[in-house]
Each structure stands twice: as C-alpha cells, then as structure tokens.
C-alpha cells in the first residue's frame, strides 16, 4: 500500500518504511515476552521485528484529523476510530 486516503481526505504516504504514520498494536504481554527473549539472547532483533509483524495489528494515525485506523486480524480493510468530543 503506497498511499492511504483518510476519511478527512488527507493522503498518507506509506512508501517509506517505516512510515511515521504507521504503528503496530501488540498486546503488552506479548511484547514483554519478546523483549525478555531478546535480553536472554534467545531471539535476534530481526526475529523480534518479524514476530511483532506476525502478532500485531497494523495501525495508521492521520496527523490531520487524529483518526486512528486499525486493521483487523486476517482482514484487508482498516476500521476508523475517532476521538469523542464531549458536548458539555
Ligand atoms: Zn484524517
């Protein structure tokens, strides 16, 4: 995916890897276990990245509107999440 079009019409370039707008969401229990394995020399840094890619969910953050787009496991599409604004 070279470009991502946000609902606000902002185009996010994803050619550069890693793109600054791209994140990986991974449960802390998995992350801490992976770091522990790296510290014990049971896993290389490259293997850590591969495991994070395998177990994490892709996330794109739009710097213009603040939307967060999360790709579900085994899904192709991203679902949008927006910040709720209190109307008090
Ligand atoms: Zn946006």
């Amino acid at each position: 995916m070279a470009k991502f079009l946000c609902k606000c019409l902002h185009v996010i370039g994803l050619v550069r890897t890693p793109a600054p707008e791209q994140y990986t969401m991974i449960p802390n229990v998995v992350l801490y276990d992976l770091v522990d394995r790296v510290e014990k020399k049971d896993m290389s840094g490259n293997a850590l990245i591969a495991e994070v890619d395998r177990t994490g969910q892709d996330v794109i953050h739009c710097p213009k509107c603040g939307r967060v787009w999360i790709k579900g496991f085994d899904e192709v599409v991203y679902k949008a999440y927006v910040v709720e604004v209190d109307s008090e």
Side-chain angles (χ1 to χ4, degrees), residues 5-10 12 61-67 69:
L5 177 62
C6 185
K7 213 174 248 187
C8 74
L9 302 181
H10 181 68
I12 301 168
H61 173 253
C62 177
K64 184 177 178 191
C65 71
R67 274 188 182 86
W69 295 85

Side-chain angles (χ1 to χ4, degrees), residues 7-66:
K7 213 174 248 187
C8 74
L9 302 181
H10 181 68
V11 177
I12 301 168
L14 301 173
V15 174
R16 191 172 48 159
T17 303
E21 296 88 354
Q22 276 188 304
Y23 297 80
T24 302
M25 185 166 70
I26 184 169
N28 280 351
V29 291
V30 174
L31 179 62
Y32 293 172
D33 177 60
L34 294 174
V35 170
D36 190 46
R37 291 174 60 187
V38 169
E39 286 179 347
K40 291 178 180 168
K41 310 266 190 247
D42 187 34
M43 175 180 266
S44 70
N46 285 340
L48 169 77
I49 296 296
E51 193 63 13
V52 166
D53 283 345
R54 191 184 70 77
T55 58
Q57 287 178 266
D58 291 338
V59 176
I60 297 172
H61 173 253
C62 177
K64 184 177 178 191
C65 71

